[in-house]
Amino acid sequence: MAVAKRVLRCHNCGAILQTDSKKLPGFISRNIVENGVPKIPYCNSCYEKMLELNGSNLDHETDKDILKILKDAVATDALIVWIVDLFSFNGTLNPDVAKKIKKLDIVVLGSKRDLFPSNVTDEMLIRYLDERFSEVGINPISIRLIGNNDNEDINSNLKKINEERRGRDVYLIGDLNSGKTTFINRLLKNYVNKTKWQIKTELYPGTASNVLEIPLSNSSFFYELPDLSDSTSVLSKVEKSVQSVITPKKEVNMTRKFIAGGSAILVGNLACFYLVKGKYTSVRCFTSEKAELKVTSIEKVDDMLESIRKRKNLKPASDRFVSFRDYDMFEYDLESDDLRHDIAVEGLGWFSLRGRGQKIRILLPKGVAVKECLSKVR
Ligand SMILES: Nc1nc2c(ncn2[C@@H]2O[C@H](COP(=O)(O)OP(=O)(O)O)[C@@H](O)[C@H]2O)c(=O)[nH]1
Ligand SMILES: [Mg+2]
């Protein structure tokens, strides 16, 4: 009697996978097949198309008005306060803005400090911010952390900014939801206007953007600029209901998963961390408290993504990602340095693991920024 053998098909085109002829449909290189099972469930031709589709550059939209306003900041040698949401920030900074202002004095404020557990020290977070800013050529004159719950903070921050500005104007910049309005509202609680000017929101000359103007003296002002675009954040790609699932309201959640090569960790249908190659690895996943994670084998990922979209059986589940064309995939070969690395997805969270030469892939909504660097929490 003949022995039955399972026939495998390409998960994209459906062709029967075969290793014999490059000319025939479904060809897959022999080195991708291990014990009769392909490590990638696509034929070479589909896989190459996917790589091509996913090779497009990130679209960092920069509001022209913001660059125009910052031109004045440069001309007047103003102080820049750049506020960064410590959770959503994945280490990528808007390159146009960074280029424009890098010669100015820049104060970095890391907001939402209260979302991190107390065993995460200020030093860790400050070092992380410092490293990311220096990558785009910015050497901040100071980096401070702010959170929701300490009133002390704001007064000392105000005092410091007042010293740092040395009589100059101050321009506050940051992404949507980074905490600009919250910061200003707290600042205004202790504000006394001793100048001849009023606080006002006005169209900035030569632009179509409103700028909040708070007089600091008769000849200097604090300007709040419009939100920097968040077009590279997961938040900009998903429905409102999904945004509320991925935005932490409480302490950032750390889930530890111990996985072998060939396994993958899904965060709803918004991200998937594939351990393509490598020994058993402990992966720390940092997400909002409402996000749910699931470990599966790499071959099952596509089916799971579809099932999560249809059945909403793992949160966050978005209706917007229907096929692999709606996702990007990136690959990293980690060093064997035994140091802790993060692979961070803007707006969603990050995966943290020790570098032991693993091959990692990460799947995420198309156009979302991802970055690998030494860990935020070391
Ligand atoms: N936990 C926490 N939430 C904050 C903090 N600062 C702002 N938020 C929240 O983050 C969201 C966006 O803040 P907002 O000030 O409107 O950001 P903006 O878009 O930069 O003006 C709001 O829901 C705020 O309540 C903070 O320090 N800690
Ligand atoms: Mg605001």
Side-chain angles (χ1 to χ4, degrees):
M1 207 165 70
V3 181
K5 201 171 107 198
R6 198 154 70 98
V7 174
L8 298 173
R9 289 176 180 271
C10 168
H11 278 214
N12 185 48
C13 67
I16 291 170
L17 294 176
Q18 49 87 16
T19 52
D20 299 329
S21 167
K22 274 187 186 177
K23 289 192 188 108
L24 294 174
F27 176 72
I28 186 164
S29 317
R30 231 172 256 277
N31 59 6
I32 301 177
V33 183
E34 211 170 67
N35 300 327
V37 181
K39 285 175 272 178
I40 304 163
Y42 305 107
C43 69
N44 283 15
S45 148
C46 285
Y47 189 61
E48 271 156 31
K49 273 185 217 142
M50 282 166 77
L51 289 181
E52 212 173 279
L53 253 172
N54 290 327
S56 58
N57 279 330
L58 274 188
D59 189 17
H60 272 286
E61 288 166 27
T62 315
D63 194 329
K64 292 211 171 57
D65 283 353
I66 292 180
L67 292 176
K68 218 167 186 177
I69 300 167
L70 287 175
K71 203 170 159 194
D72 288 349
V74 174
T76 55
D77 188 30
L79 176 74
I80 302 289
V81 176
W82 194 332
I83 190 163
V84 168
D85 171 344
L86 286 167
F87 175 77
S88 273
F89 181 55
N90 83 321
T92 55
L93 289 159
N94 184 305
D96 299 332
V97 172
K99 194 168 153 209
K100 184 115 230 156
I101 61 172
K102 66 179 167 200
K103 295 220 169 77
L104 297 179
D105 283 348
I106 297 173
V107 172
V108 174
L109 296 180
S111 69
K112 313 196 184 180
R113 168 70 178 103
D114 53 297
L115 293 177
F116 286 78
S118 50
N119 67 342
V120 177
T121 63
D122 285 3
E123 289 72 38
M124 291 178 193
L125 297 170
I126 289 172
R127 175 172 62 177
Y128 175 82
L129 289 173
D130 197 20
E131 288 170 356
R132 302 294 75 77
F133 275 84
S134 65
E135 277 173 359
V136 290
I138 291 178
N139 257 321
I141 59 168
S142 55
I143 302 176
R144 292 188 288 275
L145 307 179
I146 51 174
N148 249 350
N149 33 22
D150 16 33
N151 262 323
E152 293 291 337
D153 246 357
I154 207 81
N155 280 329
S156 75
N157 239 315
L158 257 182
K159 240 167 115 184
K160 285 190 186 128
I161 290 175
N162 229 341
E163 287 162 20
E164 286 156 341
R165 76 183 184 91
R166 290 185 276 114
R168 298 170 295 175
D169 292 336
V170 180
Y171 288 66
L172 176 70
I173 58 171
D175 287 358
L176 175 70
N177 281 324
S178 58
K180 296 182 296 303
T181 303
T182 309
F183 178 70
I184 286 172
N185 287 343
R186 286 166 68 202
L187 181 155
L188 285 177
K189 272 196 196 150
N190 303 306
Y191 171 84
V192 184
N193 192 350
K194 294 182 194 148
T195 74
K196 60 181 178 184
W197 309 108
Q198 297 287 314
I199 297 181
K200 60 185 178 195
T201 299
E202 250 190 5
L203 266 187
Y204 195 88
T207 73
S209 292
N210 279 314
V211 167
L212 170 70
E213 218 179 283
I214 304 170
L216 298 173
S217 72
N218 281 333
S219 57
S220 60
F221 296 86
F222 182 107
Y223 299 102
E224 184 206 5
L225 271 59
D227 305 313
L228 296 176
S229 156
D230 68 341
S231 62
T232 55
S233 167
V234 175
L235 289 167
S236 73
K237 312 285 182 198
V238 296
E239 305 88 324
K240 266 221 148 58
S241 57
V242 180
Q243 287 174 358
S244 86
V245 174
I246 63 175
T247 305
K249 305 282 184 304
K250 296 194 225 146
E251 208 172 276
V252 175
N253 202 35
M254 197 269 276
T255 316
R256 204 187 299 264
K257 297 285 183 197
F258 203 54
I259 57 169
S263 302
I265 305 169
L266 287 152
V267 182
N269 70 346
L270 294 190
C272 187
F273 173 98
Y274 302 71
L275 182 61
V276 179
K277 223 166 47 197
K279 294 208 179 96
Y280 262 104
T281 298
S282 163
V283 185
R284 297 180 186 171
C285 314
F286 294 81
T287 62
S288 94
E289 72 283 356
K290 280 179 252 102
E292 295 169 338
L293 286 83
K294 193 174 173 80
V295 173
T296 187
S297 63
I298 285 177
E299 305 91 71
K300 291 197 180 132
V301 169
D302 285 359
D303 291 344
M304 298 266 305
L305 289 171
E306 196 179 340
S307 140
I308 295 166
R309 178 174 58 81
K310 287 187 178 149
R311 300 201 187 89
K312 310 282 184 283
N313 49 4
L314 197 71
K315 279 192 281 187
S318 167
D319 282 319
R320 298 194 178 159
F321 312 105
V322 176
S323 82
F324 73 81
R325 289 178 185 80
D326 303 318
Y327 292 98
D328 274 331
M329 196 189 267
F330 296 90
E331 190 171 274
Y332 298 96
D333 289 308
L334 284 194
E335 291 97 334
S336 299
D337 54 8
D338 210 34
L339 296 174
R340 193 159 274 289
H341 296 248
D342 285 350
I343 296 177
V345 181
E346 189 177 347
L348 184 72
W350 60 96
F351 302 90
S352 174
L353 68 158
R354 285 200 183 277
R356 292 187 178 139
Q358 302 95 325
K359 186 186 278 299
I360 306 292
R361 281 203 196 109
I362 185 107
L363 176 102
L364 70 176
K366 208 162 191 57
V368 167
V370 62
K371 187 172 169 67
E372 183 275 322
C373 57
L374 288 181
S375 286
K376 205 181 265 189
V377 180
R378 264 174 248 173

